[in-house]
Amino acid sequence: MKQGMKMYVWLFAVNLFISAFTFGGGYIVVPMVRRFFVAKKHCFTEEDLVNMAAIAQSTPGAIAINLSALAGYKTAGIAGASISCIAAVIPPLVILTAVSAFYKIFISNTIIAAVLKGMEAGVAAIMVDLITDMCSLILKKKSWLLSAMIPLSFTANFILGINVAFILLFCCLLCILQVLYKRRKTK
């Protein structure tokens, strides 16, 4: 029980830290989860993380909260998921409460505006790092279909302006069809 309690305390602390220091959206959480859960504690693998990130993105709600719940569940079951969710919600709740209470002061302060611009640049760099990591994991699978989806999905969204939800649904459908084709071929 002592080991379990240590794990719960660690889950609470690490999710509180990740939530408090990741600005810029849900995908910024992924490198932090990788650092603490995969690299340091070895709670699960890189591939598990990629799968959890995909599930977190495709389920309703904030990606950061969904991913923390999945990481907590993978690490310590239902209790781990609950603890991780609570810890992940506390920092945004406190920060948004403070921002709401002092909105007029924040909106007109040039120093805060400069800090937010600096955060944008940092978040962009972290997102590029995440994208290169995800692409390298996909390319390691040596699947021509998955490898082709990367530039085609980018082109569909960035150049053709197709909604991301449609692109995701299409990619999921293609992967399902590939699995069904392989099953049929082996019978």
Side-chain angles (χ1 to χ4, degrees):
M1 185 66 180
K2 202 172 200 178
Q3 181 65 18
M5 188 56 85
K6 280 178 86 172
M7 180 57 75
Y8 296 149
V9 170
W10 178 81
L11 273 173
F12 186 82
V14 78
N15 280 291
L16 195 69
F17 177 81
I18 289 171
S19 182
F21 294 102
T22 50
F23 295 91
Y27 291 111
I28 303 309
V29 173
V30 177
M32 296 288 276
V33 170
R34 177 186 294 114
R35 179 188 308 156
F36 290 105
F37 286 85
V38 177
K40 288 187 177 180
K41 278 278 195 183
H42 307 290
C43 296
F44 42 82
T45 66
E46 286 270 348
E47 189 167 336
D48 290 334
L49 177 60
V50 170
N51 291 336
M52 287 189 287
I55 292 168
Q57 176 188 354
S58 60
T59 53
I63 295 170
I65 305 300
N66 294 345
L67 185 57
S68 71
L70 291 168
Y73 181 79
K74 186 84 169 165
T75 304
I78 296 288
S82 300
I83 289 166
S84 295
C85 278
I86 290 167
V89 168
I90 291 171
L93 185 64
V94 170
I95 292 168
L96 285 173
T97 301
V99 168
S100 298
F102 303 105
Y103 181 74
K104 288 186 180 186
I105 296 169
F106 282 120
I107 200 70
S108 62
N109 190 314
T110 55
I111 292 173
I112 291 175
V115 166
L116 293 174
K117 286 293 178 192
M119 289 172 124
E120 285 178 18
V123 166
I126 292 170
M127 289 179 82
V128 169
D129 179 55
L130 171 65
I131 291 166
T132 56
D133 286 349
M134 289 179 78
C135 288
S136 69
L137 285 172
I138 290 169
L139 295 173
K140 283 180 187 174
K141 293 184 184 282
K142 297 185 182 193
S143 165
W144 66 269
L145 179 64
L146 293 175
S147 298
M149 281 185 188
I150 297 169
L152 292 174
S153 296
F154 177 79
T155 302
N157 181 257
F158 190 71
I159 296 173
L160 302 176
I162 298 173
N163 187 303
V164 175
F166 294 125
I167 296 169
L168 288 172
L169 286 172
F170 184 73
C171 290
C172 291
L173 180 64
L174 279 178
C175 288
I176 290 169
L177 291 174
Q178 181 188 35
V179 168
L180 293 175
Y181 175 76
K182 285 182 179 179
R183 280 187 186 168
R184 191 170 183 211
K185 193 175 176 181
T186 57
K187 287 183 179 181

